[in-house]
Amino acid sequence: MAVYVYKFGGTSVGTIERIKAVAQKVKKVRDTGDQIVVVVSAMSGETNRLIDMAKQMQAQPNGRELDALISTGEQVTTALLSMALEDLGCPACSYTGGQVKILTDSIHTKARIRKIDDSRIRADLEAGKVVVVAGFQGIDEDGNITTLGRGGSDTTGVALAAALKADECHIYTDVDGVYTTDPRIEPKARRLEQITFEEMLEMASLGSKVLQIRSVEFAGKYNVKLRVLSSFTEGNGTLITYEDTQVESALISGIAFNRDEAKLTITGVPDMPGVASKILAPIADENIEIDMIIQNISANGTTDFTFTVHRNDYVKAKKILEDICTELGAKQVLGDNSIVKISIVGVGMRSHAGIASTMFKTLAAENINIQMISTSEIKISVVVDEKYLELAVRALHAAFDLDKANVS
Ligand code: ASP
Ligand code: MG
């Protein structure tokens, strides 16, 4: 007997018919004698609809009330799915996050899971029931409803799988796995059989929206076997796992990109100790996340300092930087919010030299100017003008033979 956690995303439970189809699928697993916990998202569009209503009440709704509202979407799906299962003669029981109890911290709209009490779930499973849990939500120590951030049902699924020591956690979604890049940009993109946690983490944080980043962190930390599959087509999906079991030996596993970046530069900054911190601390104080950072070598005692932020924070960050500029006696602030970041990701680059030069040569051949570069052990990112996004992604996809399986 195996224990599974199946998580179904919003499109997979988007209509009454689809919820009934999910019930059929789940019943089949339970009928084989395996134990199954199902985590569901809200029906597609529902969370947005709820947020929209909140905004019509108050420009900046209070986090506690917002969570009370947006957690309802998932509660609806759990009850409907349980009914559909019962109708098929499959005993089922629905739970909100609070009922389970999925204990979180009190940071409304982006709470983190602290502890899961799995006793009620285990008892139900032992009694032969399918347990249906609302994704995306928990409860804090004071009994307030919390939510885990957009896409948070993935994290609920993985966290439950970790708590129950499930054999596998399946994330059912509207794509049939993790791709070498976004197929809307490069139709030759290919589904990966496997990808490592580390690579998936990079892909997710670099803009691939298949899984919530936290769910991947969680899965890596607790060694949850995680599989991304389509709820509409048959197939193995993509297994996210540890490196040693990897069969594919490609240098690069995927190309991720992020359109949400903006670039800020402060020029003529006096080159002396403490300057980087003077520039970045006030930005961090405003909770603005900084991504890539570059400081040039100094000429005549001054230097230029460039970094990127999320496009939503561009105006605010620029204003802060202008104040710092005056304070430091720097020259000027320049900004560009029409840039994108493109990254190649792969554990294979650890053991292979020359990946960066292939990347840069490929972009040069297309006449694409690289504005910034940053690297990690398993990733190389460049910032380029947004108008080159498609061209760059396709050229890199071809250069690293990503359309062909099992290259080494
Ligand atoms: N319904 C929530 C959202 O749309 C959580 C989820 O679906 O994972 O973000
Ligand atoms: Mg999702």
Side-chain angles (χ1 to χ4, degrees):
M1 185 208 62
V3 180
Y4 291 109
V5 174
Y6 279 18
K7 180 260 168 179
F8 291 91
T11 40
S12 310
V13 292
T15 62
I16 296 294
E17 281 64 42
R18 286 187 176 171
I19 294 175
K20 287 184 174 175
V22 166
Q24 296 276 7
K25 194 182 191 99
V26 169
K27 182 180 185 288
K28 265 191 212 148
V29 178
R30 187 245 172 204
D31 285 352
T32 64
D34 289 333
Q35 295 186 338
I36 177 164
V37 174
V38 185
V39 173
V40 282
S41 288
M43 294 168 84
S44 53
E46 179 61 10
T47 309
N48 288 340
R49 189 183 73 88
L50 294 166
I51 292 173
D52 214 58
M53 282 201 289
K55 284 192 181 146
Q56 292 178 48
M57 292 301 158
Q58 210 179 0
Q60 299 246 288
N62 167 302
R64 183 182 181 280
E65 303 315 326
L66 192 58
D67 277 350
L69 179 74
I70 63 180
S71 60
T72 60
E74 273 71 14
Q75 189 174 343
V76 169
T77 355
T78 54
L80 290 174
L81 179 59
S82 294
M83 290 173 199
L85 283 162
E86 293 271 351
D87 192 54
L88 296 173
C90 176
C93 188
S94 71
Y95 289 95
T96 63
Q99 283 173 320
V100 166
K101 129 177 201 189
I102 298 176
L103 187 73
T104 71
D105 61 22
S106 302
I107 319 282
H108 284 293
T109 73
K110 33 180 183 282
R112 280 179 182 267
I113 297 176
R114 285 199 175 143
K115 217 171 97 192
I116 294 182
D117 177 358
D118 60 5
S119 51
R120 287 181 82 174
I121 297 182
R122 281 191 194 276
D124 279 350
L125 290 174
E126 289 307 319
K129 289 184 196 165
V130 170
V131 177
V132 186
V133 179
F136 178 52
Q137 55 182 268
I139 197 163
D140 74 1
E141 237 145 30
D142 300 319
N144 299 303
I145 296 172
T146 54
T147 63
L148 310 178
R150 298 308 303 267
S153 298
D154 294 340
T155 301
T156 306
V158 173
L160 282 172
L164 294 164
K165 302 197 173 50
D167 292 84
E168 258 189 40
C169 178
H170 287 189
I171 306 280
Y172 287 94
T173 174
D174 48 3
V175 291
D176 64 353
V178 179
Y179 275 68
T180 48
T181 195
D182 187 340
R184 283 169 298 190
I185 301 277
E186 171 50 281
K188 288 189 200 131
R190 191 172 50 81
R191 179 177 58 84
L192 296 160
E193 280 298 327
Q194 294 196 10
I195 186 168
T196 69
F197 285 117
E198 278 177 292
E199 289 169 327
M200 191 62 216
L201 212 49
E202 291 284 7
M203 295 287 276
S205 59
L206 291 166
S208 159
K209 300 220 163 59
V210 189
L211 286 175
Q212 198 198 32
I213 297 175
R214 266 188 211 171
S215 71
V216 185
E217 285 169 2
F218 224 105
K221 191 163 160 200
Y222 294 97
N223 201 2
V224 174
K225 253 188 159 181
L226 191 60
R227 196 181 281 282
V228 177
L229 324 90
S230 158
S231 44
F232 307 114
T233 56
E234 292 295 314
N236 293 336
T238 300
L239 180 68
I240 300 156
T241 182
Y242 277 104
E243 208 168 323
D244 50 357
T245 60
Q246 207 191 14
V247 287
E248 280 172 294
S249 52
L251 297 177
I252 300 302
S253 289
I255 301 171
F257 53 86
N258 191 342
R259 289 189 171 95
D260 299 328
E261 301 247 341
K263 184 176 82 164
L264 287 160
T265 302
I266 175 165
T267 67
V269 188
D271 190 17
M272 55 188 182
V275 161
S277 126
K278 276 211 181 93
I279 296 172
L280 297 179
I283 308 262
D285 288 346
E286 287 298 313
N287 268 323
I288 297 174
E289 258 179 63
I290 292 157
D291 186 18
M292 292 162 100
I293 304 173
I294 287 181
Q295 186 191 308
N296 283 349
I297 53 158
S298 68
N300 310 321
T302 66
T303 182
D304 298 342
F305 198 89
T306 302
F307 58 92
T308 62
V309 294
H310 194 284
R311 265 189 214 185
N312 291 345
D313 293 325
Y314 175 68
V315 174
K316 200 164 154 197
K318 189 152 185 259
K319 173 81 193 46
I320 298 171
L321 206 56
E322 271 153 7
D323 294 343
I324 301 167
C325 183
T326 320
E327 212 177 288
L328 289 177
K331 196 162 157 226
Q332 62 176 337
V333 173
L334 305 168
D336 184 351
N337 63 354
S338 56
I339 54 153
V340 288
K341 181 170 75 170
I342 300 173
S343 313
I344 57 174
V345 176
V347 291
M349 72 175 79
R350 275 200 195 116
S351 48
H352 285 85
I355 306 276
S357 83
T358 304
M359 181 182 198
F360 303 154
K361 223 187 288 165
T362 306
L363 296 172
E366 300 293 344
N367 247 323
I368 299 171
N369 187 39
I370 301 171
Q371 302 180 16
M372 295 172 84
I373 300 170
S374 84
T375 63
S376 82
E377 255 203 312
I378 64 162
K379 166 198 84 177
I380 304 168
S381 302
V382 295
V383 163
V384 301
D385 190 313
E386 66 180 1
K387 71 179 180 224
Y388 295 126
L389 173 70
E390 277 85 0
L391 180 61
V393 168
R394 286 187 202 131
L396 291 168
H397 201 270
F400 288 102
D401 285 333
L402 286 175
D403 49 342
K404 299 181 195 95
N406 291 318
V407 271
S408 55

